PDB file of all heavy atoms in Angstrom:
ATOM      1  N   ASP X 195     -13.361  31.578 -16.311  1.00  0.00           N
ATOM      2  CA  ASP X 195     -12.264  32.141 -17.074  1.00  0.00           C
ATOM      3  C   ASP X 195     -11.238  32.722 -16.099  1.00  0.00           C
ATOM      4  O   ASP X 195     -11.620  33.358 -15.105  1.00  0.00           O
ATOM      5  CB  ASP X 195     -12.764  33.240 -18.008  1.00  0.00           C
ATOM      6  CG  ASP X 195     -11.673  33.722 -18.936  1.00  0.00           C
ATOM      7  OD1 ASP X 195     -11.488  33.111 -20.002  1.00  0.00           O
ATOM      8  OD2 ASP X 195     -10.997  34.715 -18.580  1.00  0.00           O
ATOM      9  N   PRO X 196      -9.942  32.532 -16.353  1.00  0.00           N
ATOM     10  CA  PRO X 196      -8.935  32.985 -15.395  1.00  0.00           C
ATOM     11  C   PRO X 196      -8.782  34.500 -15.278  1.00  0.00           C
ATOM     12  O   PRO X 196      -8.226  34.977 -14.288  1.00  0.00           O
ATOM     13  CB  PRO X 196      -7.638  32.354 -15.909  1.00  0.00           C
ATOM     14  CG  PRO X 196      -7.886  32.057 -17.345  1.00  0.00           C
ATOM     15  CD  PRO X 196      -9.348  31.739 -17.447  1.00  0.00           C
ATOM     16  N   ILE X 197      -9.282  35.276 -16.212  1.00  0.00           N
ATOM     17  CA  ILE X 197      -9.001  36.706 -16.194  1.00  0.00           C
ATOM     18  C   ILE X 197      -9.474  37.378 -14.912  1.00  0.00           C
ATOM     19  O   ILE X 197      -8.809  38.285 -14.385  1.00  0.00           O
ATOM     20  CB  ILE X 197      -9.623  37.415 -17.429  1.00  0.00           C
ATOM     21  CG1 ILE X 197      -9.115  38.856 -17.542  1.00  0.00           C
ATOM     22  CG2 ILE X 197     -11.131  37.341 -17.410  1.00  0.00           C
ATOM     23  CD1 ILE X 197      -7.639  38.983 -17.774  1.00  0.00           C
ATOM     24  N   GLY X 198     -10.587  36.941 -14.361  1.00  0.00           N
ATOM     25  CA  GLY X 198     -11.121  37.590 -13.163  1.00  0.00           C
ATOM     26  C   GLY X 198     -10.425  37.213 -11.882  1.00  0.00           C
ATOM     27  O   GLY X 198     -10.642  37.860 -10.847  1.00  0.00           O
ATOM     28  N   ILE X 199      -9.583  36.183 -11.921  1.00  0.00           N
ATOM     29  CA  ILE X 199      -8.899  35.724 -10.699  1.00  0.00           C
ATOM     30  C   ILE X 199      -7.380  35.765 -10.842  1.00  0.00           C
ATOM     31  O   ILE X 199      -6.659  35.283  -9.981  1.00  0.00           O
ATOM     32  CB  ILE X 199      -9.349  34.299 -10.302  1.00  0.00           C
ATOM     33  CG1 ILE X 199      -9.136  33.314 -11.460  1.00  0.00           C
ATOM     34  CG2 ILE X 199     -10.807  34.304  -9.846  1.00  0.00           C
ATOM     35  CD1 ILE X 199      -9.398  31.858 -11.089  1.00  0.00           C
ATOM     36  N   THR X 200      -6.904  36.363 -11.924  1.00  0.00           N
ATOM     37  CA  THR X 200      -5.462  36.435 -12.165  1.00  0.00           C
ATOM     38  C   THR X 200      -4.908  37.737 -11.601  1.00  0.00           C
ATOM     39  O   THR X 200      -5.440  38.813 -11.861  1.00  0.00           O
ATOM     40  CB  THR X 200      -5.154  36.348 -13.669  1.00  0.00           C
ATOM     41  OG1 THR X 200      -5.653  35.109 -14.177  1.00  0.00           O
ATOM     42  CG2 THR X 200      -3.662  36.430 -13.920  1.00  0.00           C
ATOM     43  N   GLY X 201      -3.824  37.592 -10.830  1.00  0.00           N
ATOM     44  CA  GLY X 201      -3.226  38.772 -10.209  1.00  0.00           C
ATOM     45  C   GLY X 201      -1.779  38.980 -10.609  1.00  0.00           C
ATOM     46  O   GLY X 201      -1.233  38.279 -11.473  1.00  0.00           O
ATOM     47  N   ARG X 202      -1.151  39.919  -9.941  1.00  0.00           N
ATOM     48  CA  ARG X 202       0.225  40.302 -10.263  1.00  0.00           C
ATOM     49  C   ARG X 202       1.247  39.295  -9.777  1.00  0.00           C
ATOM     50  O   ARG X 202       2.343  39.207 -10.320  1.00  0.00           O
ATOM     51  CB  ARG X 202       0.541  41.661  -9.633  1.00  0.00           C
ATOM     52  CG  ARG X 202      -0.254  42.827 -10.187  1.00  0.00           C
ATOM     53  CD  ARG X 202       0.216  44.137  -9.566  1.00  0.00           C
ATOM     54  NE  ARG X 202       1.655  44.327  -9.741  1.00  0.00           N
ATOM     55  CZ  ARG X 202       2.211  44.791 -10.844  1.00  0.00           C
ATOM     56  NH1 ARG X 202       1.450  45.120 -11.879  1.00  0.00           N
ATOM     57  NH2 ARG X 202       3.512  44.943 -10.927  1.00  0.00           N
ATOM     58  N   GLY X 203       0.910  38.529  -8.725  1.00  0.00           N
ATOM     59  CA  GLY X 203       1.925  37.689  -8.118  1.00  0.00           C
ATOM     60  C   GLY X 203       3.051  38.537  -7.579  1.00  0.00           C
ATOM     61  O   GLY X 203       2.837  39.659  -7.102  1.00  0.00           O
ATOM     62  N   ALA X 204       4.270  38.044  -7.686  1.00  0.00           N
ATOM     63  CA  ALA X 204       5.426  38.812  -7.212  1.00  0.00           C
ATOM     64  C   ALA X 204       5.898  39.835  -8.242  1.00  0.00           C
ATOM     65  O   ALA X 204       6.803  40.618  -7.977  1.00  0.00           O
ATOM     66  CB  ALA X 204       6.566  37.873  -6.852  1.00  0.00           C
ATOM     67  N   GLY X 205       5.290  39.825  -9.410  1.00  0.00           N
ATOM     68  CA  GLY X 205       5.674  40.771 -10.454  1.00  0.00           C
ATOM     69  C   GLY X 205       5.234  40.278 -11.815  1.00  0.00           C
ATOM     70  O   GLY X 205       5.475  39.131 -12.172  1.00  0.00           O
ATOM     71  N   LEU X 206       4.565  41.117 -12.586  1.00  0.00           N
ATOM     72  CA  LEU X 206       4.039  40.715 -13.886  1.00  0.00           C
ATOM     73  C   LEU X 206       5.092  40.815 -14.985  1.00  0.00           C
ATOM     74  O   LEU X 206       5.972  41.680 -14.945  1.00  0.00           O
ATOM     75  CB  LEU X 206       2.861  41.611 -14.268  1.00  0.00           C
ATOM     76  CG  LEU X 206       1.504  41.269 -13.669  1.00  0.00           C
ATOM     77  CD1 LEU X 206       0.512  42.376 -14.001  1.00  0.00           C
ATOM     78  CD2 LEU X 206       0.999  39.928 -14.179  1.00  0.00           C
TER      79      LEU X 206
END
Side-chain angles (χ1 to χ4, degrees):
D195 187 86
I197 190 63
I199 55 173
T200 300
R202 295 184 55 81
L206 278 172

